[in-house]
Amino acid sequence: VTRKNIVEIRNLGMGQFGQVILARTVGVHLMGLQQTESHTDPNGGTLVAIKKLKQNAENGLVEAFDKEVKFMSRLKHDNVVRLLGVCTEGESFIMMEYMENGDLNQFLQKQKVMPDTISGLKENEVTPIILLYMGVQIASGMHYLSSRRFVHRDLATRNCLVGRDFVVKISDFGMSRSLYESAYYRVQGTLILPIRWMACETFYGKFSVKSDSWAFGVSMWEIYTLGKVDPYEEMTDEEVIADAIRGPDRKLLPRPDLCPQKVYDIMLRCWAHDPLVRASFGEAYS
Ligand code: AMP
C-alpha cells in the first residue's frame, strides 16, 4: 500500500514508534478481513489503524519496527491483531485492523462490574463472565503464538486491544511503549523492562513461552482488578526486583475480590517458580 491508499481521520494514540492514527482505505481490497459494521466506513473503504514510524527514528527503533512487521505478517488468529499492509515508500507505516475500544487496560478502567444475572448491559458495564471471557481470549491468542514458538516478552493488558462485543486481541510485538512509561524499568537509560510482569528467570535474560505464561497470570490479575492498581503497587521498582530474584518464595499477587478461586488457581499455576512446572497456554486455555 502507499499513502494514496489512506485518508487519515483522527489520532488514536501515541506508541513507541510514533503516532497511531485512524484512517479509511481508498481503492484497496483487504482480503481476509472480516468486514463488520465497525470496520466499514460510510464513504466506502475500511477503517484501519495506521502506525507510523516517526521521522528521524534511531536505528534501534527502525529495527524494532521492522521486527514487529515481519512478526505480524506471519500471524493469523482471531485473538491476534492482524497486519493488513505495509508502506515502505517515504514515510513508513503499517496498516492494522482497527480495534474500536482501544487498549484493554484503558478499557478496563472505564468499566463497572454488574452481576452475571443482569439482563441488558449498558455502555461501560461488564460482568464477571465477561472478564473471564476476555482472559480466555488472551489465553487462546497466546496459545496460538506459543504453538508457533513465538515469545511475546511483554504481555500485559496495555498490549492487548479491544474491539466490539468484548473481543480481545494481542498486539504490540515491538516491546515497550511510551504511554505506560511507569510500567517499565529503565536500566542505564536505554534498556527498559516491564518488571512487574516478569518471571524470575527473565531478570537473567531467559525469556520463553513459560515467561509469557507468568505475564499472562499478571494480565489476568489486571483484568480482575479492572486495571485500577499496578501489580505490587505497595512496592517500589527496586523492591519488586529484589523480591523477584529471591527465588521460589517470591511474594505473589493476592486474589482480587472479583476473581473466583478456580481462576486464581490458574494464576498461581502461571506463577510457579520453575518454568518447567509452570502452566502452559494449552493448560491455561483448557
Ligand atoms: P501502540 O503503538 O501499539 O503502543 O499504540 C498506542 C495506542 O494507540 C494504544 O494504546 C491504543 O490506544 C491505540 N491503538 C494502537 N493500535 C490500535 C488499533 N489497531 N486500533 C485502535 N487503537 C489502537
Side-chain angles (χ1 to χ4, degrees):
V1 292
T2 70
R3 279 225 52 96
K4 292 196 189 94
N5 296 119
I6 53 160
V7 177
E8 293 182 11
I9 300 175
R10 66 179 165 87
N11 232 336
L12 287 173
M14 190 70 188
Q16 62 154 336
F17 302 124
Q19 274 175 333
V20 183
I21 294 161
L22 173 65
R24 169 167 65 83
T25 60
V26 185
V28 275
H29 179 64
L30 298 170
M31 298 240 300
L33 179 71
Q34 253 183 4
Q35 292 287 340
T36 61
E37 238 176 272
S38 57
H39 286 132
T40 314
D41 184 80
N43 305 319
T46 305
L47 293 178
V48 292
I50 298 293
K51 228 183 215 192
K52 287 183 184 177
L53 179 62
K54 61 181 166 212
Q55 247 130 42
N56 62 45
E58 325 84 76
N59 274 345
L61 202 64
V62 178
E63 264 165 44
F65 187 77
D66 285 347
K67 209 168 116 194
E68 178 158 338
V69 172
K70 284 210 185 78
F71 182 76
M72 282 182 77
S73 63
R74 286 148 64 188
L75 306 174
K76 192 168 185 281
H77 187 273
D78 285 348
N79 301 112
V80 176
V81 172
R82 282 288 296 282
L83 177 70
L84 302 172
V86 185
C87 168
T88 47
E89 275 170 34
E91 195 186 19
S92 300
F93 67 83
I94 58 173
M95 204 160 89
M96 297 183 302
E97 64 180 309
Y98 171 51
M99 300 291 285
E100 63 189 56
N101 284 307
D103 77 68
L104 177 57
N105 190 270
Q106 287 183 42
F107 178 80
L108 286 167
Q109 294 196 30
K110 286 187 284 194
Q111 306 304 310
K112 205 173 140 200
V113 180
M114 307 303 283
D116 277 319
T117 46
I118 196 169
S119 61
L121 285 173
K122 295 201 206 77
E123 206 186 325
N124 296 334
E125 285 182 352
V126 290
T127 64
I129 286 185
I130 292 172
L131 296 180
L132 181 61
Y133 171 58
M134 295 196 288
V136 168
Q137 293 178 79
I138 298 177
S140 171
M142 288 307 295
H143 181 42
Y144 167 80
L145 293 178
S146 65
S147 71
R148 316 193 116 217
R149 306 206 178 282
F150 278 125
V151 178
H152 190 293
R153 290 170 177 244
D154 196 10
L155 178 61
T157 57
R158 62 183 173 274
N159 290 334
C160 297
L161 291 168
V162 186
R164 183 170 276 208
D165 297 331
F166 309 106
V167 167
V168 175
K169 303 193 184 200
I170 293 156
S171 169
D172 270 284
F173 305 103
M175 188 76 182
S176 90
R177 53 202 292 174
S178 57
L179 177 63
Y180 293 94
E181 199 92 52
S182 66
Y184 298 92
Y185 184 75
R186 246 164 231 286
V187 185
Q188 289 165 359
T190 48
L191 180 64
I192 52 174
L193 296 170
I195 51 167
R196 289 164 201 267
W197 284 258
M198 282 166 60
C200 176
E201 72 277 7
T202 60
F203 287 90
Y204 302 99
K206 286 192 199 124
F207 286 89
S208 67
V209 291
K210 288 297 186 73
S211 55
D212 279 351
S213 284
W214 183 290
F216 169 72
V218 182
S219 305
M220 288 296 286
W221 186 88
E222 287 185 275
I223 290 178
Y224 281 99
T225 50
L226 296 175
K228 288 192 169 76
V229 276
D230 263 348
Y232 323 97
E233 72 165 344
E234 69 290 356
M235 290 160 79
T236 63
D237 284 354
E238 287 69 22
E239 284 167 352
V240 169
I241 297 171
D243 186 62
I245 58 177
R246 231 171 38 165
D249 353 290
R250 172 177 184 178
K251 191 172 166 214
L252 300 177
L253 293 163
R255 183 177 68 83
D257 290 341
L258 286 168
C259 179
Q261 185 60 43
K262 266 189 162 169
V263 178
Y264 188 58
D265 287 342
I266 297 173
M267 292 181 201
L268 291 176
R269 298 204 39 228
C270 292
W271 298 330
H273 174 71
D274 182 352
L276 293 172
V277 178
R278 206 174 289 157
S280 66
F281 283 105
E283 291 165 69
Y285 180 54
S286 55

